[in-house]
Amino acid sequence: MVGVYGGGRMGSGIAHAFLLAGATVRIVETSDATVQATRVRVESSVAKADQRGTLPAPAIELLSRLTVTTDHARLQACALVIEAVPEDPDLKRRVLRGVEHVAPEAVLATNTSSLSVDDLARDLARPERFVGLHFFNPVPASELVEIVVGAKTAPDLVANAQAWITALGKTAITVSDSPGFASSRLGVVLALEAMRMLEAGVASVDDIDTALTLGYKHPLGPLKTTDIVGLDVRLAIAEHLARELGDRFDPPNILREMVAAGHLGRKTGKGFYDWQ
């Protein structure tokens, strides 16, 4: 049984991926309203997969293995609990401490895309049972999961995590705990430079992205990818990396201005592209 704390876009996607692999999944949310929204989000995702003919079993069977609740104690029976709340280190540490309290035997994982695994583990009683599992959006379709190994993460847990990712039908890469890991660090550098080029009038959004999709065979350009990830998420990661690694990660003004205006990408309908 797998627990997911936080049923937003990433948490719901992680739950979907584990349901596809045959797991029983419990998602913990913070209120009755978010419980309902999370259930609808997962049901909608599963229904779309069913329409595409990509489910391994009937949708009703998958969803019968899903529980969405506000009761933290329901995590007690879980062998693995994945934290998937927003990229706020204080919030993540509070959630992880709470989960460890109610499910002391469970392996804990964080879905952070850039925060230090060691820092998040600092208040845990069993940091050797804690690991980073960085899933990518959209989770069900994404082929990659980044396993982030903390200084105290047990070697056998890393091996188990690799087996879990394989069971999900995805590919794992393993990295040591460092700012931005591998994927976020590389992806953010490319995205920030694309934004600076746009800001300077070097080329249009479409032409910058086409340079990477046709010239370098990237499946998506850096600006469209930013829209899918979320401009607010990119901004938070860039600010964190700038503090840790220096001013080459300073967010350009265009990113700050778009976030301030509420243009966060696909989830709000407008970013570098119009998603309406």
Side-chain angles (χ1 to χ4, degrees):
M1 186 179 297
V2 175
V4 180
Y5 196 110
R9 184 181 296 274
M10 292 304 298
S12 296
I14 292 167
H16 182 162
F18 276 97
L19 290 171
L20 289 176
T24 297
V25 179
R26 290 179 176 173
I27 303 176
V28 169
E29 265 296 348
T30 56
S31 70
D32 290 339
T34 53
V35 163
Q36 180 61 22
T38 294
R39 176 166 286 282
V40 169
R41 193 176 294 116
V42 178
E43 288 176 349
S44 175
S45 178
V46 169
K48 289 176 182 176
D50 194 21
Q51 291 169 2
R52 294 192 297 269
T54 58
L55 293 184
I60 192 170
E61 192 276 321
L62 266 70
L63 293 170
S64 72
R65 292 188 269 105
L66 173 68
T67 302
V68 187
T69 179
T70 58
D71 184 3
H72 298 192
R74 299 293 299 275
L75 297 174
Q76 187 171 12
C78 295
L80 167 66
V81 179
I82 302 169
E83 165 272 306
V85 300
E87 292 285 274
D88 177 333
D90 292 333
L91 173 61
K92 286 182 179 289
R93 282 192 292 267
R94 283 199 306 274
V95 167
L96 290 165
R97 286 196 304 269
V99 172
E100 187 179 51
H101 178 71
V102 300
E105 299 304 315
V107 169
L108 301 186
T110 176
N111 183 51
T112 183
S113 56
S114 65
L115 298 177
S116 168
V117 167
D118 287 334
D119 181 63
L120 296 179
R122 71 187 189 194
D123 297 330
L124 294 178
R126 301 179 67 186
E128 71 278 5
R129 302 276 290 172
F130 180 60
V131 68
L133 293 179
H134 177 202
F135 289 83
F136 292 78
N137 185 32
V139 179
S142 175
E143 298 179 4
L144 179 67
V145 179
E146 197 169 28
I147 299 172
V148 186
V149 182
K152 296 183 179 179
T153 304
D156 64 327
L157 175 52
V158 177
N160 287 341
Q162 291 168 336
W164 300 332
I165 302 312
T166 299
L168 292 176
K170 301 183 185 298
T171 298
I173 61 170
T174 304
V175 301
S176 61
D177 186 28
S178 60
F181 318 135
S183 59
S184 292
R185 191 162 166 177
L186 292 168
V188 168
V189 164
L190 192 59
L192 295 180
E193 189 59 27
M195 293 174 208
R196 294 187 186 103
M197 291 170 63
L198 180 64
E199 202 170 45
V202 172
S204 69
V205 169
D206 283 332
D207 286 347
I208 290 170
D209 276 357
T210 300
L212 271 294
T213 57
L214 297 186
Y216 289 88
K217 302 303 181 185
H218 289 202
L220 292 173
L223 297 174
K224 183 166 282 188
T225 300
T226 295
D227 271 8
I228 293 171
V229 170
L231 275 72
D232 53 335
V233 175
R234 281 284 201 225
L235 177 59
I237 295 172
E239 289 176 332
H240 172 71
L241 292 179
R243 289 191 297 270
E244 296 292 327
L245 297 173
D247 58 11
R248 69 186 186 275
F249 287 98
D250 281 343
N253 287 335
I254 190 173
L255 178 58
R256 295 188 185 280
E257 290 167 358
M258 291 177 71
V259 170
H263 301 322
L264 308 183
R266 184 171 64 177
K267 61 189 172 185
T268 61
K270 184 173 176 57
F272 293 104
Y273 291 83
D274 187 347
W275 296 86
Q276 297 291 347

